[in-house]
Short mmCIF file of all heavy atoms in Angstrom, two decimals:
data_model
loop_
_atom_site.label_atom_id
_atom_site.label_comp_id
_atom_site.label_asym_id
_atom_site.label_seq_id
_atom_site.Cartn_x
_atom_site.Cartn_y
_atom_site.Cartn_z
N ALA A 357 -27.19 14.26 -33.43
CA ALA A 357 -26.85 13.21 -32.46
C ALA A 357 -25.41 12.76 -32.66
O ALA A 357 -25.15 11.75 -33.29
CB ALA A 357 -27.81 12.04 -32.61
N ASP A 414 -16.19 4.57 11.13
CA ASP A 414 -16.19 3.20 11.62
C ASP A 414 -15.81 3.17 13.09
O ASP A 414 -15.56 4.19 13.71
CB ASP A 414 -15.24 2.32 10.79
CG ASP A 414 -13.81 2.83 10.86
OD1 ASP A 414 -13.51 3.67 11.73
OD2 ASP A 414 -13.00 2.39 10.03
N SER A 435 9.14 10.23 -1.73
CA SER A 435 9.93 11.40 -2.11
C SER A 435 11.42 11.14 -1.98
O SER A 435 12.24 11.82 -2.61
CB SER A 435 9.54 12.60 -1.24
OG SER A 435 9.99 12.44 0.10
N SER A 506 10.05 18.88 17.68
CA SER A 506 9.78 17.84 18.67
C SER A 506 10.47 18.12 20.00
O SER A 506 10.11 17.52 21.02
CB SER A 506 10.24 16.48 18.13
OG SER A 506 11.62 16.51 17.78
N TYR A 537 -22.61 8.20 -10.37
CA TYR A 537 -21.75 8.77 -9.32
C TYR A 537 -20.37 8.11 -9.36
O TYR A 537 -20.24 6.89 -9.35
CB TYR A 537 -22.40 8.54 -7.95
CG TYR A 537 -21.61 9.08 -6.79
CD1 TYR A 537 -21.75 10.40 -6.39
CD2 TYR A 537 -20.72 8.26 -6.09
CE1 TYR A 537 -21.03 10.90 -5.31
CE2 TYR A 537 -20.00 8.75 -5.02
CZ TYR A 537 -20.16 10.07 -4.63
OH TYR A 537 -19.44 10.55 -3.57
N GLN A 548 -4.12 14.53 -4.83
CA GLN A 548 -3.49 15.73 -5.35
C GLN A 548 -3.23 16.75 -4.25
O GLN A 548 -2.18 17.40 -4.22
CB GLN A 548 -4.38 16.36 -6.43
CG GLN A 548 -3.69 17.51 -7.16
CD GLN A 548 -4.52 18.04 -8.31
OE1 GLN A 548 -5.60 17.55 -8.56
NE2 GLN A 548 -4.00 19.04 -8.99
N VAL A 625 35.48 12.12 2.45
CA VAL A 625 34.87 10.79 2.45
C VAL A 625 35.73 9.83 1.64
O VAL A 625 36.03 10.08 0.46
CB VAL A 625 33.44 10.84 1.86
CG1 VAL A 625 32.85 9.43 1.76
CG2 VAL A 625 32.54 11.73 2.71
N ILE A 658 29.53 19.44 8.84
CA ILE A 658 28.68 20.33 8.06
C ILE A 658 29.13 20.35 6.61
O ILE A 658 30.34 20.37 6.32
CB ILE A 658 28.72 21.76 8.62
CG1 ILE A 658 28.29 21.77 10.10
CG2 ILE A 658 27.83 22.70 7.82
CD1 ILE A 658 28.37 23.13 10.75
#
Side-chain angles (χ1 to χ4, degrees):
D414 60 14
S435 71
S506 57
Y537 180 86
Q548 188 175 0
V625 175
I658 302 177

